[in-house]
Amino acid sequence: MSLLASARQQWLANPRRDLLAGTVVALALIPEAIAFSIIAGVDPAVGLYASFVIAVTIAFTGGRPAMISAATGAMALVMVTLVRDHGLEYLFAASLLCGVIQIGVGLLKLGRYIKFVSRSVMTGFVNSLAILIFLAQMPELIGANWQTFALVGAALVIIYGFRRITRAVPSPLVAIVLISAFVIWSGVDVRTVGDMGEMPSTLPFFQIPKVPLTWETLTIIGPVAATLAFVGLLESLLTANLLDDITDTPSDKDRETRGQGIANILSPLFGGMAGCAMIGQSIINVTSGARGRLSTLWAGLFLLFLILVLQDWVARIPMAALVAVMIMVSIGTFDWKSVIHLRSTPLQSSIVMVVTTVTVVATHDLSKGVVLGVVLSAIFFMRKVGKTIVVEAVETPEDGVLRYRVTGNLFFASADVFAAAFEHHGHPDRVEIDMTGAHLWDLTGVAAVDKVVFRYRRQGAEVDLVGMNEAARTLVDLVGKHDKSHLPGAAAAH
């Protein structure tokens, strides 16, 4: 019964909102899928078929309800060289291998480790994509006639104004319908979806990539497939995190990882390229009221219906209406508070956020920005934790014993601070180091302990290590070089 209730909640909690939201997404998917196909250097049908297959598949296999996955610009950029040098069939093969790799990552349950991406990196990721979404609309505006700007402005007024009247129908859908109706009625000369490229007129059919099954083929597609898998999972899991926050609901990251893999295996088998989650379309979906898997399924199915049955009408939709929708998405996606509060947030967090944002925008490569942000976060964290090791001299009666108390985490980032904290000039007869409040994490920490012990012993002092926990004693016993007879079981170790 619990499984049935869960399925009902994920699929039929609010079907009307899911269907309306999915309709908006499908309309906005068409020009983007065509544009991404052009970026990759393939026929528009490849991106459109991919968007249909991936959206429908991920509706069932994904771990984040209401998230939209399809052909994306981030993935298309990785494909350019492969398509240019080896052709479309090698792209299909690389997309299929990408899916296999992603399933492997999912089976190893590595998707959950996205939690180690810091909030600052997440904010940088979101802000950079918001900027890229906005910049992607510029080709439609630069050099355009005044009517285009007027239509974009009118569409934005409808989008933001209609939601003040009612939220029963998504305002972006109302804007697309009204602006399209006006353009068709008035005959005003503006760019339309039909100007983007020719849409397919037949259903996608099953096909196996026509490439030789040789080691040479694997060396050609392997690096591209691995990059596609990494970029796709990174964007998908970070988008899932964002939707988790917006909807205040959890998602299954390992299931999402496997689901992306399954979708990317099926896509090339039906004439599509690899894809991943789309932050822009996902934001459109959830802000239009979608919360269930039905919205993702309907977006894929309605997309196919639009391009096969209604393509003559779809071709007449003005790009100005869709540009307005994407500008709305860009404005809504950007975390404006992160800029307003930039001076009041910790400097290191601000640096990570800004570096992530600037790197992604400058390179148009999500993976470079996020990886750099994660590395910076790790460096700042280790510097901060490395300073938490405290070595203090304990005042004792004049019995010839020099006592120290150590607290904190001893590892490679704090080893130098630990070793430098001891006084080696007094030539004591005996030194006692209390490690009760400390924890050794790695070999560098053990080496630091060895270093301190050996320094005192060279001066003729007897050194006792007191209070090591079991994990630390085991680590020292395995790799430590100082007198191991002073460790567990010996009197001096206590």
Side-chain angles (χ1 to χ4, degrees):
M1 291 297 293
S2 61
L3 289 175
L4 183 61
S6 176
R8 185 184 297 274
Q9 176 64 30
Q10 292 191 10
W11 283 94
L12 299 173
N14 197 329
R16 184 182 66 83
R17 281 188 174 275
D18 283 350
L19 291 173
L20 287 173
T23 299
V24 181
V25 170
L27 289 168
L29 269 175
I30 293 175
E32 293 214 348
I34 295 174
F36 298 149
S37 298
I38 294 171
I39 291 172
V42 297
D43 189 89
V46 177
L48 291 166
Y49 286 156
S51 297
F52 157 67
V53 173
I54 293 172
V56 170
T57 304
I58 210 69
F60 295 95
T61 63
R64 170 68 258 177
M67 189 163 78
I68 303 297
S69 293
T72 63
M75 302 286 268
L77 288 170
V78 179
M79 303 170 182
V80 174
T81 303
L82 180 65
V83 173
R84 184 190 64 211
D85 295 343
H86 300 282
L88 183 59
E89 293 298 326
Y90 278 84
L91 172 60
F92 291 152
S95 298
L96 198 154
L97 181 57
C98 162
V100 173
I101 294 171
Q102 289 177 328
I103 290 177
V105 172
L107 292 175
L108 292 173
K109 299 185 182 298
L110 300 179
R112 65 188 67 183
Y113 293 108
I114 195 69
K115 63 186 177 184
F116 292 115
V117 175
S118 70
R119 185 71 185 179
S120 300
V121 176
M122 272 293 300
T123 303
F125 159 77
V126 169
N127 288 350
S128 62
L129 286 185
I131 294 170
L132 289 178
I133 289 171
F134 182 81
L135 292 178
Q137 311 314 309
M138 291 302 100
E140 296 298 328
L141 298 177
I142 296 175
N145 55 26
W146 68 268
Q147 292 95 332
T148 298
F149 287 95
L151 290 174
V152 171
L156 286 171
V157 170
I158 296 171
I159 289 170
Y160 288 106
F162 188 80
R163 64 178 56 174
R164 293 178 177 272
I165 301 173
T166 178
R167 291 181 178 267
V169 179
S171 60
L173 178 59
V174 176
I176 292 172
V177 171
L178 291 181
I179 297 298
S180 298
F182 173 78
V183 169
I184 293 172
W185 171 76
S186 65
V188 62
D189 182 24
V190 293
R191 268 174 60 83
T192 63
V193 172
D195 296 325
M196 294 287 294
E198 186 177 352
M199 288 179 281
S201 57
T202 61
L203 284 168
F205 58 89
F206 182 83
Q207 57 183 351
I208 297 176
K210 299 178 180 64
V211 296
L213 299 177
T214 62
W215 177 255
E216 182 183 2
T217 298
L218 184 60
T219 59
I220 292 172
I221 67 173
V224 176
T227 305
L228 287 171
F230 174 73
V231 172
L233 289 181
L234 196 59
E235 184 161 359
S236 297
L237 295 178
L238 290 176
T239 302
N241 265 357
L242 177 63
L243 296 191
D244 289 352
D245 291 341
I246 293 174
T247 62
D248 196 24
T249 55
S251 61
D252 187 336
K253 303 301 188 300
D254 292 320
R255 178 177 176 181
E256 182 63 39
T257 301
R258 297 190 298 271
Q260 291 289 334
I262 295 170
N264 282 328
I265 288 176
L266 292 177
S267 177
L269 293 177
F270 287 92
M273 59 190 191
C276 63
M278 304 181 74
I279 187 170
Q281 306 299 338
S282 298
I283 294 294
I284 291 175
N285 202 36
V286 297
T287 54
S288 297
R291 291 296 182 272
R293 296 178 181 275
L294 182 61
S295 62
T296 308
L297 176 64
W298 177 244
L301 292 175
F302 192 57
L303 170 66
L304 187 66
F305 179 77
L306 287 172
I307 60 179
L308 295 184
V309 179
L310 301 180
Q311 68 169 250
D312 290 340
W313 287 98
V314 171
R316 301 170 74 181
I317 295 175
M319 286 301 299
L322 299 176
V323 166
V325 172
M326 298 314 296
I327 290 175
M328 178 270 293
V329 170
S330 175
I331 295 172
T333 301
F334 195 90
D335 187 349
W336 298 100
K337 290 182 179 179
S338 67
V339 177
I340 296 171
H341 299 151
L342 195 61
R343 296 181 64 182
S344 61
T345 55
L347 178 61
Q348 294 177 346
S349 297
S350 297
I351 291 173
V352 171
M353 186 270 288
V354 171
V355 167
T356 302
T357 302
V358 171
T359 303
V360 174
V361 173
T363 64
H364 285 235
D365 189 331
L366 170 69
S367 60
K368 285 186 175 68
V370 173
V371 169
L372 182 56
V374 169
V375 170
L376 273 179
S377 296
I379 291 172
F380 288 145
F381 172 76
M382 287 185 291
R383 285 188 60 191
K384 186 174 182 179
V385 174
K387 295 177 182 179
T388 62
I389 192 77
V390 177
V391 180
E392 54 183 338
V394 180
E395 292 186 7
T396 60
E398 295 182 1
D399 56 0
V401 179
L402 183 60
R403 292 183 172 87
Y404 291 95
R405 182 185 299 115
V406 184
T407 55
N409 295 290
L410 182 53
F411 65 115
F412 66 89
S414 58
D416 288 342
V417 175
F418 169 82
F422 291 88
E423 174 61 57
H424 294 279
H425 303 296
H427 299 287
D429 296 326
R430 185 162 169 257
V431 178
E432 184 179 284
I433 303 174
D434 184 357
M435 304 285 289
T436 304
H439 187 84
L440 272 71
W441 287 101
D442 62 6
L443 301 184
T444 309
V446 176
V449 172
D450 283 344
K451 183 177 182 179
V452 171
V453 172
F454 286 144
R455 279 182 177 178
Y456 280 119
R457 287 185 179 167
R458 279 199 302 265
Q459 299 173 11
E462 179 184 350
V463 183
D464 293 340
L465 296 177
V466 179
M468 279 193 182
N469 59 37
E470 184 177 352
R473 288 200 307 269
T474 302
L475 185 60
V476 172
D477 193 33
L478 288 172
V479 298
K481 295 180 180 179
H482 67 271
D483 189 359
K484 293 183 178 179
S485 64
H486 284 230
L487 292 177
H494 301 289

Short mmCIF file of all heavy atoms in Angstrom, two decimals, residues 219-270:
data_model
loop_
_atom_site.label_atom_id
_atom_site.label_comp_id
_atom_site.label_asym_id
_atom_site.label_seq_id
_atom_site.Cartn_x
_atom_site.Cartn_y
_atom_site.Cartn_z
N THR A 219 38.77 3.75 -28.38
CA THR A 219 39.69 4.84 -28.06
C THR A 219 39.19 6.18 -28.60
O THR A 219 39.53 7.24 -28.06
CB THR A 219 41.10 4.56 -28.64
OG1 THR A 219 41.00 4.41 -30.07
CG2 THR A 219 41.69 3.30 -28.04
N ILE A 220 38.37 6.13 -29.65
CA ILE A 220 37.82 7.36 -30.22
C ILE A 220 36.67 7.87 -29.36
O ILE A 220 36.60 9.05 -29.02
CB ILE A 220 37.35 7.12 -31.67
CG1 ILE A 220 38.55 6.87 -32.58
CG2 ILE A 220 36.54 8.32 -32.18
CD1 ILE A 220 38.17 6.43 -33.99
N ILE A 221 35.74 6.98 -29.02
CA ILE A 221 34.53 7.42 -28.32
C ILE A 221 34.69 7.42 -26.80
O ILE A 221 33.94 8.11 -26.10
CB ILE A 221 33.32 6.53 -28.70
CG1 ILE A 221 33.50 5.10 -28.17
CG2 ILE A 221 33.09 6.55 -30.20
CD1 ILE A 221 32.28 4.22 -28.36
N GLY A 222 35.67 6.67 -26.27
CA GLY A 222 35.82 6.53 -24.82
C GLY A 222 35.99 7.86 -24.09
O GLY A 222 35.22 8.16 -23.16
N PRO A 223 36.98 8.69 -24.45
CA PRO A 223 37.17 9.96 -23.75
C PRO A 223 35.95 10.88 -23.84
O PRO A 223 35.59 11.54 -22.86
CB PRO A 223 38.38 10.58 -24.46
CG PRO A 223 39.11 9.41 -25.05
CD PRO A 223 38.05 8.44 -25.45
N VAL A 224 35.31 10.91 -25.01
CA VAL A 224 34.13 11.76 -25.18
C VAL A 224 32.98 11.24 -24.31
O VAL A 224 32.28 12.01 -23.64
CB VAL A 224 33.69 11.80 -26.66
CG1 VAL A 224 32.40 12.62 -26.82
CG2 VAL A 224 34.81 12.38 -27.52
N ALA A 225 32.79 9.91 -24.30
CA ALA A 225 31.72 9.32 -23.50
C ALA A 225 31.92 9.59 -22.02
O ALA A 225 30.97 9.90 -21.29
CB ALA A 225 31.65 7.81 -23.77
N ALA A 226 33.17 9.46 -21.55
CA ALA A 226 33.46 9.71 -20.13
C ALA A 226 33.18 11.16 -19.77
O ALA A 226 32.61 11.45 -18.71
CB ALA A 226 34.91 9.35 -19.83
N THR A 227 33.56 12.09 -20.66
CA THR A 227 33.30 13.51 -20.41
C THR A 227 31.81 13.79 -20.41
O THR A 227 31.30 14.54 -19.55
CB THR A 227 33.99 14.38 -21.48
OG1 THR A 227 35.39 14.07 -21.52
CG2 THR A 227 33.81 15.85 -21.18
N LEU A 228 31.08 13.21 -21.38
CA LEU A 228 29.63 13.38 -21.42
C LEU A 228 28.98 12.87 -20.14
O LEU A 228 28.08 13.50 -19.58
CB LEU A 228 29.05 12.65 -22.63
CG LEU A 228 29.30 13.25 -24.02
CD1 LEU A 228 28.85 12.29 -25.11
CD2 LEU A 228 28.57 14.59 -24.16
N ALA A 229 29.45 11.71 -19.67
CA ALA A 229 28.88 11.11 -18.46
C ALA A 229 29.10 12.02 -17.27
O ALA A 229 28.19 12.26 -16.46
CB ALA A 229 29.49 9.74 -18.22
N PHE A 230 30.32 12.56 -17.14
CA PHE A 230 30.65 13.42 -16.00
C PHE A 230 29.85 14.72 -16.05
O PHE A 230 29.23 15.11 -15.06
CB PHE A 230 32.15 13.71 -16.00
CG PHE A 230 32.57 14.70 -14.95
CD1 PHE A 230 32.61 14.33 -13.62
CD2 PHE A 230 32.93 15.99 -15.30
CE1 PHE A 230 32.98 15.25 -12.65
CE2 PHE A 230 33.32 16.91 -14.34
CZ PHE A 230 33.34 16.53 -13.01
N VAL A 231 29.87 15.39 -17.20
CA VAL A 231 29.15 16.67 -17.33
C VAL A 231 27.66 16.46 -17.12
O VAL A 231 26.99 17.24 -16.41
CB VAL A 231 29.43 17.30 -18.71
CG1 VAL A 231 28.53 18.51 -18.94
CG2 VAL A 231 30.89 17.69 -18.83
N GLY A 232 27.11 15.40 -17.72
CA GLY A 232 25.69 15.13 -17.60
C GLY A 232 25.26 14.86 -16.16
O GLY A 232 24.24 15.39 -15.70
N LEU A 233 26.03 14.05 -15.45
CA LEU A 233 25.68 13.75 -14.07
C LEU A 233 25.85 14.97 -13.18
O LEU A 233 25.04 15.22 -12.27
CB LEU A 233 26.54 12.60 -13.54
CG LEU A 233 26.22 11.22 -14.12
CD1 LEU A 233 27.12 10.15 -13.50
CD2 LEU A 233 24.75 10.86 -13.89
N LEU A 234 26.88 15.74 -13.43
CA LEU A 234 27.12 16.94 -12.63
C LEU A 234 25.95 17.90 -12.75
O LEU A 234 25.39 18.37 -11.75
CB LEU A 234 28.42 17.61 -13.08
CG LEU A 234 29.03 18.65 -12.15
CD1 LEU A 234 29.34 18.05 -10.79
CD2 LEU A 234 30.30 19.22 -12.77
N GLU A 235 25.55 18.20 -13.99
CA GLU A 235 24.44 19.12 -14.19
C GLU A 235 23.13 18.54 -13.66
O GLU A 235 22.33 19.26 -13.05
CB GLU A 235 24.30 19.48 -15.67
CG GLU A 235 23.22 20.51 -15.93
CD GLU A 235 23.37 21.22 -17.26
OE1 GLU A 235 24.33 20.92 -18.00
OE2 GLU A 235 22.53 22.09 -17.57
N SER A 236 22.91 17.25 -13.86
CA SER A 236 21.66 16.63 -13.41
C SER A 236 21.55 16.62 -11.90
O SER A 236 20.50 16.96 -11.33
CB SER A 236 21.57 15.19 -13.95
OG SER A 236 21.53 15.19 -15.36
N LEU A 237 22.61 16.25 -11.21
CA LEU A 237 22.56 16.14 -9.75
C LEU A 237 22.51 17.51 -9.09
O LEU A 237 21.83 17.69 -8.07
CB LEU A 237 23.75 15.33 -9.24
CG LEU A 237 23.77 13.86 -9.69
CD1 LEU A 237 25.03 13.16 -9.18
CD2 LEU A 237 22.53 13.12 -9.22
N LEU A 238 23.20 18.48 -9.66
CA LEU A 238 23.12 19.83 -9.11
C LEU A 238 21.75 20.44 -9.35
O LEU A 238 21.21 21.15 -8.49
CB LEU A 238 24.21 20.72 -9.73
CG LEU A 238 25.64 20.40 -9.30
CD1 LEU A 238 26.64 21.27 -10.06
CD2 LEU A 238 25.83 20.58 -7.80
N THR A 239 21.15 20.15 -10.50
CA THR A 239 19.79 20.62 -10.77
C THR A 239 18.81 19.95 -9.82
O THR A 239 17.88 20.59 -9.31
CB THR A 239 19.40 20.34 -12.23
OG1 THR A 239 20.31 20.98 -13.12
CG2 THR A 239 17.99 20.85 -12.52
N ALA A 240 19.01 18.66 -9.55
CA ALA A 240 18.16 17.96 -8.59
C ALA A 240 18.26 18.59 -7.21
O ALA A 240 17.25 18.77 -6.51
CB ALA A 240 18.55 16.48 -8.53
N ASN A 241 19.48 18.96 -6.81
CA ASN A 241 19.67 19.64 -5.52
C ASN A 241 18.89 20.95 -5.48
O ASN A 241 18.26 21.29 -4.47
CB ASN A 241 21.15 19.92 -5.29
CG ASN A 241 21.82 18.85 -4.47
OD1 ASN A 241 21.19 17.90 -4.02
ND2 ASN A 241 23.12 18.96 -4.27
N LEU A 242 18.95 21.70 -6.57
CA LEU A 242 18.25 22.98 -6.64
C LEU A 242 16.74 22.79 -6.52
O LEU A 242 16.07 23.51 -5.76
CB LEU A 242 18.60 23.68 -7.95
CG LEU A 242 17.89 25.02 -8.21
CD1 LEU A 242 18.28 26.04 -7.16
CD2 LEU A 242 18.22 25.53 -9.61
N LEU A 243 16.19 21.81 -7.23
CA LEU A 243 14.75 21.55 -7.17
C LEU A 243 14.35 21.01 -5.79
O LEU A 243 13.24 21.26 -5.34
CB LEU A 243 14.34 20.57 -8.26
CG LEU A 243 14.51 21.05 -9.71
CD1 LEU A 243 13.81 20.10 -10.67
CD2 LEU A 243 13.99 22.46 -9.90
N ASP A 244 15.26 20.27 -5.16
CA ASP A 244 14.99 19.82 -3.78
C ASP A 244 14.73 21.02 -2.88
O ASP A 244 13.81 21.02 -2.06
CB ASP A 244 16.18 19.03 -3.23
CG ASP A 244 16.33 17.66 -3.88
OD1 ASP A 244 15.43 17.26 -4.66
OD2 ASP A 244 17.35 16.99 -3.63
N ASP A 245 15.56 22.06 -3.04
CA ASP A 245 15.42 23.26 -2.21
C ASP A 245 14.15 24.02 -2.56
O ASP A 245 13.43 24.50 -1.67
CB ASP A 245 16.63 24.17 -2.39
CG ASP A 245 17.90 23.59 -1.79
OD1 ASP A 245 17.79 22.67 -0.95
OD2 ASP A 245 19.00 24.02 -2.18
N ILE A 246 13.86 24.14 -3.87
CA ILE A 246 12.69 24.92 -4.30
C ILE A 246 11.39 24.26 -3.84
O ILE A 246 10.47 24.93 -3.36
CB ILE A 246 12.69 25.09 -5.83
CG1 ILE A 246 13.87 25.98 -6.26
CG2 ILE A 246 11.37 25.70 -6.31
CD1 ILE A 246 14.02 26.09 -7.76
N THR A 247 11.31 22.94 -4.00
CA THR A 247 10.07 22.22 -3.68
C THR A 247 10.04 21.69 -2.26
O THR A 247 9.01 21.18 -1.81
CB THR A 247 9.88 21.04 -4.66
OG1 THR A 247 10.97 20.10 -4.49
CG2 THR A 247 9.87 21.52 -6.10
N ASP A 248 11.17 21.80 -1.55
CA ASP A 248 11.27 21.29 -0.18
C ASP A 248 10.93 19.80 -0.11
O ASP A 248 10.24 19.34 0.80
CB ASP A 248 10.36 22.09 0.76
CG ASP A 248 10.72 21.88 2.23
OD1 ASP A 248 11.89 21.53 2.51
OD2 ASP A 248 9.83 22.04 3.09
N THR A 249 11.40 19.06 -1.10
CA THR A 249 11.21 17.61 -1.13
C THR A 249 12.53 16.95 -1.49
O THR A 249 13.34 17.54 -2.20
CB THR A 249 10.15 17.20 -2.17
OG1 THR A 249 10.51 17.73 -3.45
CG2 THR A 249 8.77 17.71 -1.78
N PRO A 250 12.76 15.72 -1.01
CA PRO A 250 14.04 15.05 -1.31
C PRO A 250 14.01 14.34 -2.65
O PRO A 250 12.95 14.15 -3.26
CB PRO A 250 14.15 14.03 -0.16
CG PRO A 250 12.72 13.67 0.13
CD PRO A 250 11.93 14.93 -0.08
N SER A 251 15.18 13.96 -3.13
CA SER A 251 15.29 13.17 -4.35
C SER A 251 16.32 12.07 -4.14
O SER A 251 17.18 12.18 -3.28
CB SER A 251 15.68 14.04 -5.55
OG SER A 251 16.94 14.66 -5.34
N ASP A 252 16.21 11.02 -4.95
CA ASP A 252 17.12 9.88 -4.87
C ASP A 252 18.22 10.08 -5.91
O ASP A 252 18.01 9.85 -7.09
CB ASP A 252 16.33 8.59 -5.14
CG ASP A 252 17.17 7.33 -4.92
OD1 ASP A 252 18.41 7.42 -5.00
OD2 ASP A 252 16.58 6.26 -4.68
N LYS A 253 19.40 10.50 -5.44
CA LYS A 253 20.48 10.84 -6.37
C LYS A 253 21.03 9.61 -7.08
O LYS A 253 21.40 9.68 -8.25
CB LYS A 253 21.61 11.54 -5.62
CG LYS A 253 21.19 12.80 -4.86
CD LYS A 253 20.58 13.84 -5.78
CE LYS A 253 20.33 15.16 -5.07
NZ LYS A 253 19.42 15.09 -3.93
N ASP A 254 21.08 8.47 -6.40
CA ASP A 254 21.59 7.26 -7.06
C ASP A 254 20.61 6.77 -8.13
O ASP A 254 21.01 6.34 -9.21
CB ASP A 254 21.83 6.16 -6.02
CG ASP A 254 22.99 6.50 -5.09
OD1 ASP A 254 23.99 7.04 -5.58
OD2 ASP A 254 22.88 6.25 -3.88
N ARG A 255 19.32 6.86 -7.84
CA ARG A 255 18.32 6.49 -8.85
C ARG A 255 18.38 7.46 -10.03
O ARG A 255 18.26 7.03 -11.19
CB ARG A 255 16.91 6.51 -8.24
CG ARG A 255 15.83 6.18 -9.25
CD ARG A 255 14.45 6.13 -8.62
NE ARG A 255 13.43 5.91 -9.64
CZ ARG A 255 12.13 5.82 -9.40
NH1 ARG A 255 11.68 5.92 -8.15
NH2 ARG A 255 11.28 5.63 -10.39
N GLU A 256 18.59 8.73 -9.75
CA GLU A 256 18.69 9.71 -10.83
C GLU A 256 19.89 9.40 -11.72
O GLU A 256 19.83 9.50 -12.94
CB GLU A 256 18.82 11.12 -10.25
CG GLU A 256 18.90 12.22 -11.29
CD GLU A 256 17.64 12.30 -12.13
OE1 GLU A 256 16.52 12.13 -11.58
OE2 GLU A 256 17.77 12.54 -13.36
N THR A 257 21.00 9.00 -11.09
CA THR A 257 22.21 8.66 -11.85
C THR A 257 21.94 7.47 -12.78
O THR A 257 22.30 7.50 -13.96
CB THR A 257 23.35 8.32 -10.88
OG1 THR A 257 23.59 9.45 -10.04
CG2 THR A 257 24.63 7.98 -11.63
N ARG A 258 21.31 6.43 -12.24
CA ARG A 258 20.98 5.27 -13.08
C ARG A 258 19.97 5.65 -14.16
O ARG A 258 20.07 5.20 -15.30
CB ARG A 258 20.43 4.13 -12.21
CG ARG A 258 21.42 3.59 -11.19
CD ARG A 258 20.89 2.31 -10.54
NE ARG A 258 19.66 2.54 -9.80
CZ ARG A 258 19.58 2.88 -8.52
NH1 ARG A 258 20.71 3.08 -7.83
NH2 ARG A 258 18.43 3.04 -7.92
N GLY A 259 19.01 6.47 -13.79
CA GLY A 259 17.98 6.88 -14.75
C GLY A 259 18.56 7.65 -15.91
O GLY A 259 18.16 7.44 -17.07
N GLN A 260 19.49 8.55 -15.63
CA GLN A 260 20.14 9.29 -16.70
C GLN A 260 20.88 8.33 -17.64
O GLN A 260 20.89 8.51 -18.86
CB GLN A 260 21.13 10.31 -16.12
CG GLN A 260 20.49 11.47 -15.37
CD GLN A 260 19.79 12.46 -16.28
OE1 GLN A 260 20.12 12.60 -17.45
NE2 GLN A 260 18.79 13.14 -15.73
N GLY A 261 21.50 7.31 -17.06
CA GLY A 261 22.19 6.32 -17.88
C GLY A 261 21.26 5.56 -18.80
O GLY A 261 21.54 5.36 -19.99
N ILE A 262 20.14 5.12 -18.26
CA ILE A 262 19.15 4.39 -19.07
C ILE A 262 18.64 5.29 -20.21
O ILE A 262 18.52 4.86 -21.36
CB ILE A 262 17.98 3.91 -18.20
CG1 ILE A 262 18.48 2.87 -17.18
CG2 ILE A 262 16.86 3.33 -19.05
CD1 ILE A 262 17.46 2.51 -16.11
N ALA A 263 18.34 6.54 -19.89
CA ALA A 263 17.84 7.47 -20.91
C ALA A 263 18.88 7.70 -22.01
O ALA A 263 18.53 7.78 -23.20
CB ALA A 263 17.46 8.80 -20.26
N ASN A 264 20.15 7.79 -21.62
CA ASN A 264 21.19 8.04 -22.61
C ASN A 264 21.57 6.80 -23.40
O ASN A 264 22.27 6.90 -24.41
CB ASN A 264 22.43 8.65 -21.93
CG ASN A 264 22.25 10.12 -21.62
OD1 ASN A 264 21.57 10.83 -22.35
ND2 ASN A 264 22.82 10.57 -20.51
N ILE A 265 21.16 5.63 -22.97
CA ILE A 265 21.30 4.42 -23.79
C ILE A 265 20.18 4.37 -24.83
O ILE A 265 20.40 4.08 -26.01
CB ILE A 265 21.30 3.16 -22.91
CG1 ILE A 265 22.62 3.04 -22.14
CG2 ILE A 265 21.09 1.90 -23.76
CD1 ILE A 265 22.66 1.88 -21.17
N LEU A 266 18.96 4.69 -24.39
CA LEU A 266 17.81 4.62 -25.30
C LEU A 266 17.84 5.73 -26.35
O LEU A 266 17.43 5.52 -27.50
CB LEU A 266 16.51 4.69 -24.49
CG LEU A 266 16.21 3.48 -23.61
CD1 LEU A 266 14.93 3.71 -22.82
CD2 LEU A 266 16.08 2.23 -24.47
N SER A 267 18.32 6.92 -25.98
CA SER A 267 18.29 8.05 -26.91
C SER A 267 19.03 7.76 -28.22
O SER A 267 18.45 7.93 -29.30
CB SER A 267 18.88 9.29 -26.23
OG SER A 267 18.94 10.38 -27.12
N PRO A 268 20.29 7.32 -28.21
CA PRO A 268 20.97 7.06 -29.49
C PRO A 268 20.38 5.87 -30.24
O PRO A 268 20.52 5.79 -31.47
CB PRO A 268 22.42 6.78 -29.07
CG PRO A 268 22.35 6.35 -27.65
CD PRO A 268 21.21 7.12 -27.07
N LEU A 269 19.73 4.96 -29.52
CA LEU A 269 19.09 3.82 -30.20
C LEU A 269 17.86 4.26 -30.99
O LEU A 269 17.35 3.50 -31.81
CB LEU A 269 18.71 2.75 -29.18
CG LEU A 269 19.89 2.03 -28.49
CD1 LEU A 269 19.37 1.03 -27.46
CD2 LEU A 269 20.77 1.32 -29.52
N PHE A 270 17.38 5.49 -30.72
CA PHE A 270 16.25 6.03 -31.48
C PHE A 270 16.61 7.35 -32.15
O PHE A 270 15.77 8.24 -32.31
CB PHE A 270 15.04 6.21 -30.55
CG PHE A 270 14.39 4.92 -30.16
CD1 PHE A 270 14.78 4.26 -29.01
CD2 PHE A 270 13.43 4.32 -30.96
CE1 PHE A 270 14.21 3.05 -28.63
CE2 PHE A 270 12.84 3.12 -30.61
CZ PHE A 270 13.23 2.47 -29.44
#
